[in-house]
Amino acid sequence: MHSQQHDGDTDNREWIEQAQIDLAMLFATDLHVGSERLYKIKRKGTSLNLLYEVDGELHQRNYLSALSWRAILLFALTEGKSVTVHEMDQPGRYRRLFPKTLLRRLAWHARPNANFPPFARLYDPNGKAVMLLTRSRFCGHAVDALHNLTDGLPMFQPLWISDIIALRPMLGIELVRDEAFMATLPISAYLEAAAMTDRIVEEPELCALSLTGNVLRLVAPPSSKAVRSIYDQACRENPALVKLRDCSIYGDYSFG
């Protein structure tokens, strides 16, 4: 997944190490909707349509399971291959939700000890689902998100972009991008407010809260046994991944 050029072996090592950290985090947690994992409660007969390239070879697949796409990305990385996504779900929807300009900005936010304002807001026009995106992970295949899909409580976790887009075909939750969203307060303010109020607070209300700068960790739900088994296999083939199991999303941010 060589999505950018690197100057020298040092940059390349740092890129590989960050990608491995991202993978460890992504395989440690699943997206829950309500109290259940997304793919455990998906509607019968539904799938996510994907059009993508692996090292220049075009593939079009309908995936019924969360495991298929995770495995393809994981093993492509370990084999040094490049993966480019062209479409997910309905024609044009991937780029409506994640245009290249947005992905570039989220990639720019993906730097050590960052505490930028969230850069994008996704929401369900027909429901209460909200998702604030702060940075990209794993070469733009995932993002860090503060969301309220898990029992309505705020969660801060890395999510596969494929899982976010799969909410529409799998569960009928059609997230759209808030074109007018522009945050000025850093993500730490949203996280502190979420811990205080058990919800995602809009910026006007944030300014009225007595925030102290003390960010408490929101507990994200663990991954399923099936998802962990894929990562366990990767750990057997690459022992360097084992020591990354305890990495936390908060480790890439500087709060306080």
Side-chain angles (χ1 to χ4, degrees):
M1 280 160 284
H2 306 298
S3 55
Q4 53 188 310
Q5 296 296 316
H6 302 278
D7 296 324
D9 291 342
T10 300
D11 286 347
N12 198 47
R13 280 197 303 272
E14 290 175 355
W15 173 76
I16 291 171
E17 183 176 335
Q18 185 60 54
Q20 291 177 337
I21 290 170
D22 294 347
L23 271 174
M25 292 185 194
L26 285 159
F27 276 87
T29 182
D30 285 343
L31 174 58
H32 283 53
V33 181
S35 60
E36 294 285 0
R37 297 177 183 90
L38 166 63
Y39 282 83
K40 189 174 180 181
I41 57 174
K42 75 182 188 71
R43 294 182 299 187
K44 188 175 181 181
T46 59
S47 64
L48 176 66
N49 301 322
L50 290 166
L51 180 65
Y52 62 96
E53 287 181 47
V54 178
D55 274 359
E57 184 178 345
L58 199 62
H59 301 268
Q60 184 156 16
R61 304 270 172 82
N62 295 336
Y63 285 131
L64 307 174
S65 164
L67 303 181
S68 303
W69 185 237
R70 283 160 172 72
I72 282 174
L73 290 177
L74 173 64
F75 297 124
L77 176 75
T78 56
E79 294 169 8
K81 294 181 178 180
S82 173
V83 178
T84 303
V85 175
H86 296 292
E87 291 280 9
M88 288 188 178
D89 193 26
Q90 300 168 323
R93 182 162 183 248
Y94 174 56
R95 285 301 175 207
R96 284 198 304 274
L97 273 181
F98 293 93
K100 290 182 179 179
T101 51
L102 171 60
L103 289 176
R104 280 196 294 267
R105 186 56 185 254
L106 291 173
W108 189 81
H109 280 199
R111 50 189 58 205
N113 301 321
N115 187 17
F116 294 106
F119 189 67
R121 178 179 182 267
L122 308 181
Y123 70 100
D124 177 9
N126 302 309
K128 296 180 179 179
V130 174
M131 193 172 283
L132 301 180
L133 310 182
T134 65
R135 55 163 283 170
S136 69
R137 285 196 186 274
F138 201 48
C139 314
H141 294 294
V143 290
D144 283 357
L146 174 63
H147 67 87
N148 63 351
L149 289 165
T150 304
D151 280 336
L153 294 173
M155 293 284 159
F156 188 45
Q157 64 183 126
L159 296 176
W160 297 98
I161 285 177
S162 56
D163 281 1
I164 295 171
I165 293 179
L167 287 167
R168 187 207 67 82
M170 297 295 188
L171 291 178
I173 301 173
E174 186 164 0
L175 295 176
V176 298
R177 191 160 47 89
D178 183 351
E179 302 276 359
F181 179 75
M182 185 174 293
T184 59
L185 295 177
I187 187 61
S188 59
Y190 288 86
L191 292 172
E192 183 179 354
M196 289 170 58
T197 64
D198 282 339
R199 56 190 175 86
I200 297 177
V201 178
E202 303 286 343
E203 187 147 329
E205 186 183 348
L206 272 181
C207 297
L209 291 175
S210 299
L211 300 177
T212 65
N214 181 30
V215 176
L216 299 177
R217 295 191 177 195
L218 304 173
V219 179
S223 61
S224 66
K225 184 178 180 181
V227 170
R228 287 197 305 272
S229 69
I230 295 178
Y231 193 72
D232 288 342
Q233 180 181 341
C235 287
R236 287 192 291 272
E237 297 174 3
N238 184 359
L241 293 175
V242 176
K243 69 178 187 295
L244 302 175
R245 284 184 182 276
D246 296 326
C247 288
S248 163
I249 185 174
Y250 293 88
D252 284 330
Y253 293 82
S254 178
F255 300 141

